[in-house]
C-alpha cells in the first residue's frame, strides 16, 4: 500500500476538471486520469477485453480489433443487467490500474481525476476529495461552447450524473470555478501549497 498523499478531483461535465488538473500538472503534480485507466484496461490483449468479447460477442469489436465503445454503450444503455455485468468486470480492473499508476507516481502528492470518483470506490483511494463546482447554467454554457453540443444533450448528460448538491455533499474542498481562469490559477496555487504541506505531514506521520 502506497503512503503517497492522493487528491481526488471530480465535478460534473463542463465544471472545469481538466482546467483544474492541467494547472496542477503544470506545477509538476502527477495527474492520474480514471477515464484513461478505463480505456487502458480494455485495450487489445487485455483480460478485460477478452471477457467483454466472450460476453457480448465479436460484434463489440471494431475493424481493428479494438473495443467499439459506442456499440458497447448502446448495448448497456437501456439494459441495467448488462450494465451491472460490465461494471462488476471493469470497476475492479480500473481500480487496480489506478492503484498501479498511483504507486508509480513520483511527485510529492498526486491527483486522481475522475468523473465517477464519488459514485465508485475510487473515492477510497483519495485522502482528500476536491469538487470543482459551477452553477448549472454555466456548466451548460461552457460544455456547449467546448463540445459544440446543444443544451438538451448537455442537460441529458447532466441528468445522468450526480446532482450538484449530492456532489457538494461529498466534497472535503470545493473549488468555485465560476470566476475567470486567472481566478482559477490563484485558487490552484493556494491548494497546491496546502497539499504539499499535507503530503509532507503524511510522510512524517
Ligand atoms: P470538465 O473537464 O470538467 O468537463 P473543462 O475543464 O473541459 O471541464 O472545462 C469546460 C470548458 O470551460 C472548457 O472549454 C474550458 O476551457 C472552459 N473553462 C473552464 N474553466 C473556465 C473558467 N474559469 N473561465 C472560462 N472558461 C473556463
Amino acid at each position: 500500500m502506497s503512503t503517497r498523499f492522493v487528491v481526488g478531483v471530480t465535478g460534473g461535465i463542463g465544471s472545469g476538471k481538466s482546467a483544474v488538473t492541467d494547472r496542477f500538472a503544470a506545477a509538476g503534480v502527477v495527474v492520474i486520469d480514471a477515464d484513461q485507466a478505463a480505456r487502458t484496461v480494455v485495450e487489445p490483449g487485455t483480460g478485460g477485453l477478452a471477457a467483454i468479447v466472450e460476453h457480448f460477442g465479436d460484434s463489440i469489436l471494431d475493424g481493428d480489433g479494438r473495443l467499439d465503445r459506442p456499440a458497447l454503450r448502446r448495448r448497456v444503455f437501456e439494459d441495467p443487467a448488462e450494465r451491472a455485468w460490465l461494471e462488476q468486470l471493469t470497476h475492479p480492473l480500473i481500480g487496480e490500474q489506478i492503484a498501479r499508476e498511483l504507486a508509480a507516481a513520483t511527485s510529492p502528492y498526486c491527483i486522481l481525476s475522475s468523473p465517477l470518483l464519488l459514485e465508485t470506490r475510487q473515492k477510497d483511494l483519495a485522502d482528500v476529495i476536491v469538487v470543482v463546482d459551477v452553477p448549472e447554467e454555466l456548466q451548460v454554457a461552457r460544455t456547449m461552447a467546448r463540445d459544440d453540443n446543444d443544451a438538451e444533450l448537455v442537460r441529458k448528460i447532466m441528468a445522468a450524473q450526480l446532482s450538484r448538491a449530492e456532489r457538494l455533499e461529498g466534497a472535503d474542498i470545493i473549488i468555485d470555478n465560476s470566476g475567470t481562469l486567472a481566478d482559477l490559477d490563484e485558487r490552484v496555487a493556494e491548494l497546491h501549497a496546502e497539499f504539499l504541506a499535507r503530503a509532507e505531514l503524511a510522510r512524517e506521520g
Side-chain angles (χ1 to χ4, degrees):
M1 190 60 194
S2 164
T3 54
R4 189 175 306 286
F5 192 73
V6 179
V7 176
V9 173
T10 191
I13 183 169
S15 59
K17 284 180 301 298
S18 302
V20 166
T21 56
D22 285 353
R23 282 164 173 73
F24 281 107
V29 180
V30 171
V31 175
I32 291 153
D33 178 353
D35 279 342
Q36 180 55 50
R39 287 190 288 272
T40 301
V41 300
V42 293
E43 271 170 6
T46 60
L49 184 58
I52 288 172
V53 171
E54 190 180 300
H55 186 81
F56 290 104
D58 283 346
S59 64
I60 214 71
L61 296 175
D62 68 15
D64 300 328
R66 307 187 70 87
L67 183 60
D68 183 344
R69 303 179 74 85
L72 183 62
R73 265 197 298 278
R74 283 193 295 276
R75 289 290 291 270
V76 303
F77 186 65
E78 278 169 9
D79 191 332
E82 292 289 38
R83 176 185 291 253
W85 180 87
L86 186 65
E87 289 180 350
Q88 63 78 33
L89 172 76
T90 56
H91 283 184
L93 295 175
I94 296 166
E96 287 163 21
Q97 177 64 26
I98 290 171
R100 272 194 296 276
E101 293 182 26
L102 287 173
T106 51
S107 51
Y109 71 93
C110 45
I111 301 265
L112 170 57
S113 174
S114 174
L116 294 177
L117 189 71
L118 296 171
E119 291 94 324
T120 64
R121 294 189 49 199
Q122 288 168 19
K123 61 178 166 301
D124 301 338
L125 297 167
D127 295 292
V128 56
I129 292 181
V130 173
V131 169
V132 186
D133 179 60
V134 292
E136 279 148 3
E137 285 318 304
L138 200 49
Q139 213 184 331
V140 174
R142 285 183 181 162
T143 306
M144 284 172 66
R146 182 192 61 190
D147 298 342
D148 203 20
N149 279 337
D150 59 29
E152 196 190 345
L153 177 61
V154 178
R155 287 188 195 283
K156 233 172 164 170
I157 294 169
M158 284 166 60
Q161 299 186 331
L162 284 186
S163 70
R164 186 179 180 199
E166 285 168 322
R167 209 178 280 112
L168 289 175
E169 209 163 287
D172 298 312
I173 293 175
I174 296 167
I175 296 181
D176 171 4
N177 186 29
S178 59
T180 64
L181 289 169
D183 295 333
L184 192 61
D185 286 339
E186 213 172 289
R187 178 71 170 130
V188 167
E190 172 189 296
L191 287 173
H192 179 52
E194 175 181 335
F195 296 148
L196 283 175
R198 288 177 70 167
E200 181 67 30
L201 276 177
R203 250 198 315 280
E204 286 166 4

